[in-house]
Amino acid sequence: MSVESAISEAAIEQNLEQFLLVLSVSLSVATVSRIFPLFRKIPYTLLLVIVGLGLAFVDVRLVNLSPELILEIFLPPLLFEAAWNIRWRDLRRDLIPVILFAVVGVVISVLGIAFTITQFTELPLALALLVSASLAATDPVSVIALFRELGADKRLKTLMEGESLFNDGVAVVAFLLLVGIPLGTQEFSLSTTVAQFFTFIGIGIGVGCLIGFGISFLTQRFDLPLVEQSLTLVSAYGTYLITEELGGSGVIGVVTVGLVLGNFGSRIGMNPRTRLIVSEFWDFLAFFVNSIVFLLIGDQIDFSRLGQNLDLIGVTIGALLFTRAISIYGLATISNGLAKSNIGWRQQTVLWWGGLRGSVSIALALSVPVSLEGRQDIIVTVFGVVLFTLLVEGLTTQFLLEKLDLIGDQPVRHKYSEAIARRVALNRVKNYLESATTNNEMNSEFCQYQIKLVDGQLETIQTELDKLLHHHPQLQSLDMEQLQEQMVNIEADTYAEFIRAGRLTENLSPLLQEALIEADEKLIESD
């Protein structure tokens, strides 16, 4: 064996051991945070950052955090999972404020933060623009996890997730357009920058739609859950790579394909069982990736450099909070006036404070070319701001939700759903016993005895449901949502069955879905 081969194998073994160590630590911390009640009050992503900080403090470095690793391996599944789970019906209602926050808000952040930094520090404008572009993308993974745990307002989650999905792409595009200015490889031109921006966005949306609708029609032809699950994974990574190769925004491409497959493809080409399998797969994958990324963010902190740049970090944090306030309160007011969005000041306050920064900001900062003078200032500043948003804003969001009375009725809804599930299960048991009695498959007296026991349990559950509905009338909306979902599923499954049998060659979009959306909109307008 040659010396080069031995060195190569040793390097591979070391990298593998580092990866397994990161995997073991991250999943262990994430699992412990879900098991013990003491840690459930802290979103697991924040707990991972804290553990990573502890490792960095004792100088235990798990692995070098590569920006290419985050952008090409970690980012696509995180974006796809968020886009897959967000409902277009909910997003469409708030599309105007989401676009305002994601596009105009990014412009305000980039210009506002950069201007403030140059006014109060010695950092040149070209470098300040890279800092602000890196920090323009929000990453509310921790906050959304907290929303789900506490049962916060569904619309608040839609606004925050929708903004994050789209502003990631806008921020990445802005960063790529600005990174060449301090290097002297390009000059700023408003017309050229705008043209490049729309080119990046347009290619991303085009490729995402092409792949998304193509896979949607393909999955109509067969019913193979594992294959369909694999196709969603291929679409996430494939869309990102293809879009980047074509000169577009891979982030926008992944978001688009996730929205198409989650809201269209999963309805016309997957039966309910397959949809459940695919959704659970992406839930685990997002949990898996987040566990690694947030641990590594904390582990990469250099405390000595942070201490040397506290003034720059402090100014940037102040500028971030100020420009975020302008974006949220100002643009929400405009949206309320133009589109009747009715986003209240309490929701605006949570959106302002919950605008955390995370993996995308870190990846952009680390992707600054090594040859650029001042690169370390950019990285340290972004790391410091991300750390502040995760630990200070992230850990105080629950307190803010409680003070603003925005905690929902999730525990009650969970209890109600559990009772509904028990009632459905017992009714199926009762139907089986009655069928067995009719067909003389079992002893008649024994079956009748068991049926009476089941009836007793059903009466108890029905009493519990009646009490819950009496004290919480809003739970009726849960029944309506489940009924509407089942209606659309039955219609889509019927079309898919006809296509697989060769009795239908063209796709039919569900009529009920549009009818239900229109009915919901009329109901909202009447209220």
Side-chain angles (χ1 to χ4, degrees):
M1 181 183 293
S2 63
V3 176
E4 291 80 3
S5 299
I7 294 175
S8 177
E9 288 187 7
I12 293 174
E13 182 179 356
Q14 183 181 8
N15 290 334
L16 182 59
E17 289 176 353
Q18 284 184 322
F19 174 75
L20 292 176
L21 178 61
V22 172
L23 186 62
S24 300
V25 173
S26 59
L27 292 181
S28 297
V29 173
T31 302
V32 167
S33 69
R34 310 310 299 165
I35 294 176
F36 295 100
L38 177 64
F39 297 111
R40 289 180 185 173
K41 297 180 180 180
I42 305 176
Y44 79 95
T45 50
L46 299 185
L47 194 61
L48 286 162
V49 174
I50 295 171
V51 172
L53 284 173
L55 294 174
F57 184 76
V58 297
D59 202 26
V60 176
R61 302 295 176 177
L62 297 175
V63 66
N64 290 326
L65 190 64
S66 167
E68 291 79 13
L69 189 67
I70 290 181
L71 291 177
E72 296 183 5
I73 298 180
F74 290 161
L75 194 56
L78 291 177
L79 293 170
F80 185 92
E81 186 271 341
W84 168 274
N85 285 317
I86 196 169
R87 297 274 68 85
W88 173 250
R89 184 191 307 180
D90 300 328
L91 183 61
R92 192 176 74 167
R93 292 173 182 167
D94 288 309
L95 196 58
I96 290 179
V98 164
I99 291 176
L100 286 175
F101 294 153
V103 179
V104 181
V106 166
V107 175
I108 293 174
S109 295
V110 170
L111 297 179
I113 294 174
F115 176 78
T116 304
I117 290 175
T118 55
Q119 289 295 311
F120 295 97
T121 70
E122 298 179 357
L123 198 69
L125 178 61
L127 299 184
L129 284 170
L130 292 183
V131 171
S132 60
S134 300
L135 294 170
T138 58
D139 186 12
V141 173
S142 303
V143 175
I144 294 299
L146 188 64
F147 282 2
R148 291 171 180 167
E149 183 76 20
L150 299 175
D153 182 52
K154 182 179 179 181
R155 189 189 185 206
L156 196 57
K157 290 188 290 186
T158 301
L159 287 169
M160 190 162 283
E161 282 189 308
E163 179 198 2
S164 177
L165 278 175
F166 292 107
N167 74 8
D168 281 350
V170 177
V172 171
V173 171
F175 181 88
L176 294 175
L177 293 175
L178 294 171
V179 73
I181 296 177
L183 292 173
T185 58
Q186 68 182 58
E187 296 182 359
F188 180 79
S189 169
L190 182 61
S191 59
T192 303
T193 302
V194 171
Q196 288 179 321
F197 175 82
F198 283 106
T199 300
F200 283 143
I201 300 296
I203 293 175
I205 294 175
V207 173
C209 286
L210 185 65
I211 295 177
F213 285 112
I215 291 179
S216 298
F217 294 131
L218 178 63
T219 54
Q220 282 187 319
R221 307 295 170 177
F222 50 79
D223 183 19
L224 300 170
L226 292 179
V227 174
E228 295 173 72
Q229 176 179 290
S230 300
L231 284 174
T232 59
L233 185 61
V234 170
S235 69
Y237 284 107
T239 301
Y240 185 88
L241 294 175
I242 292 173
T243 306
E244 289 290 322
E245 285 295 322
L246 293 177
S249 170
V251 173
I252 293 294
V254 174
V255 169
T256 303
V257 76
L259 283 171
V260 171
L261 288 176
N263 291 274
F264 179 74
S266 65
R267 305 297 171 187
I268 69 167
M270 298 180 185
N271 61 46
R273 180 174 62 91
T274 301
R275 281 198 296 274
L276 180 62
I277 291 173
V278 174
S279 295
E280 289 179 343
F281 166 76
W282 280 103
D283 287 342
F284 170 75
L285 192 59
F287 172 80
F288 175 82
V289 173
N290 274 317
S291 299
I292 296 176
V293 170
F294 281 88
L295 178 70
L296 293 179
I297 287 176
D299 183 59
Q300 296 300 304
I301 298 296
D302 189 332
F303 289 98
S304 61
R305 289 188 177 275
L306 282 178
Q308 297 170 5
N309 290 272
L310 284 178
D311 55 342
L312 178 57
I313 294 172
V315 170
T316 307
I317 290 173
L320 177 70
L321 294 175
F322 181 70
T323 56
R324 178 75 179 168
I326 294 175
S327 299
I328 296 299
Y329 291 107
L331 296 176
T333 301
I334 294 174
S335 180
N336 289 342
L338 295 178
K340 310 299 181 187
S341 301
N342 296 322
I343 304 174
W345 69 269
R346 294 184 301 168
Q347 287 79 11
Q348 294 176 33
T349 302
V350 174
L351 290 171
W352 164 64
W353 191 249
L356 277 61
R357 271 56 175 178
S359 55
V360 176
S361 296
I362 295 295
L364 290 177
L366 290 174
S367 66
V368 173
V370 179
S371 59
L372 180 62
E373 185 177 353
R375 178 177 184 267
Q376 286 302 319
D377 291 332
I378 295 174
I379 293 175
V380 170
T381 304
V382 172
F383 262 90
V385 175
V386 168
L387 195 61
F388 171 85
T389 63
L390 288 175
L391 297 183
V392 178
E393 295 182 16
L395 291 175
T396 56
T397 299
Q398 180 175 349
F399 173 79
L400 184 64
L401 287 170
E402 292 172 349
K403 287 299 181 182
L404 295 176
D405 194 24
L406 290 175
I407 299 296
D409 56 356
Q410 186 65 23
V412 176
R413 291 172 69 89
H414 178 75
K415 186 176 181 181
Y416 183 76
S417 297
E418 189 177 84
I420 290 290
R422 290 183 181 276
R423 186 177 65 179
V424 171
L426 288 175
N427 275 319
R428 291 180 180 177
V429 171
K430 181 179 178 180
N431 291 336
Y432 170 75
L433 291 171
E434 290 175 344
S435 175
T437 302
T438 303
N439 298 327
N440 295 320
E441 296 177 359
M442 299 179 66
N443 182 274
S444 177
E445 292 183 2
F446 177 75
C447 286
Q448 289 299 330
Y449 175 74
Q450 296 295 329
I451 289 173
K452 289 181 180 179
L453 290 178
V454 172
D455 284 336
Q457 293 293 322
L458 285 171
E459 289 179 6
T460 302
I461 291 174
Q462 189 60 49
T463 301
E464 182 182 356
L465 288 171
D466 292 339
K467 288 181 179 179
L468 286 171
L469 285 172
H470 177 73
H471 294 291
H472 308 279
Q474 73 275 16
L475 291 174
Q476 291 181 349
S477 63
L478 188 61
D479 287 336
M480 294 174 59
E481 291 175 6
Q482 292 176 345
L483 178 60
Q484 290 178 351
E485 188 80 11
Q486 188 64 25
M487 290 164 60
V488 174
N489 287 343
I490 292 172
E491 183 187 10
D493 291 342
T494 303
Y495 296 154
E497 180 183 339
F498 270 64
I499 291 174
R500 284 192 291 268
R503 299 171 62 186
L504 188 67
T505 57
E506 296 181 355
N507 168 63
L508 299 179
S509 60
L511 296 173
L512 281 176
Q513 193 166 21
E514 293 299 324
L516 292 172
I517 292 174
E518 293 176 3
D520 288 344
E521 290 176 346
K522 290 179 180 178
L523 184 62
I524 293 172
E525 291 174 359
S526 64
D527 292 340

